[in-house]
Amino acid sequence: MKEVNTKLRHNRFVLQRHSPEGKTTMRREVLLLAGFDFRHFTHLYRTKQGNTYYFCYDYGYLLLEDDKVLIVNWQPYMQ
């Protein structure tokens, strides 16, 4: 349990560091090089359009085409 939580906290830190303003698009490789583990996330958010955001606590990401990732902050409308 402790090991998983450590990975989740690291993932959140990486997302926060790369998106301090809350919305950033970048290459997936940048997150991988920073030690991000795409297998670990706390919860999902699915939009009405069918997109799935993966969250690590209050920071999330959406996998885009061309190996890009959109990083976002949790918003109240995502309840």
Side-chain angles (χ1 to χ4, degrees), residues 2-73:
K2 187 176 179 180
E3 183 180 325
V4 171
N5 192 47
T6 300
K7 289 179 183 181
L8 289 169
R9 286 190 359 245
H10 178 74
N11 279 355
R12 184 200 177 276
F13 173 76
V14 171
L15 293 173
Q16 179 187 27
R17 187 176 60 196
H18 285 88
S19 184
E21 298 301 316
K23 190 171 184 180
T24 305
T25 302
M26 62 180 29
R27 294 203 164 278
R28 187 176 190 267
E29 180 181 349
V30 173
L31 296 179
L32 290 171
L33 290 172
F36 192 85
D37 187 343
F38 284 91
R39 298 172 298 171
H40 291 87
F41 51 89
T42 55
H43 61 285
L44 302 173
Y45 172 71
R46 289 199 172 92
T47 65
K48 292 179 183 177
Q49 294 80 20
N51 295 324
T52 301
Y53 287 82
Y54 300 85
F55 276 84
C56 295
Y57 303 107
D58 58 335
Y59 280 85
Y61 61 92
L62 172 67
L63 299 173
L64 303 172
E65 295 178 3
D66 299 327
D67 280 337
K68 291 188 179 178
V69 176
L70 171 65
I71 301 172
V72 298
N73 285 1

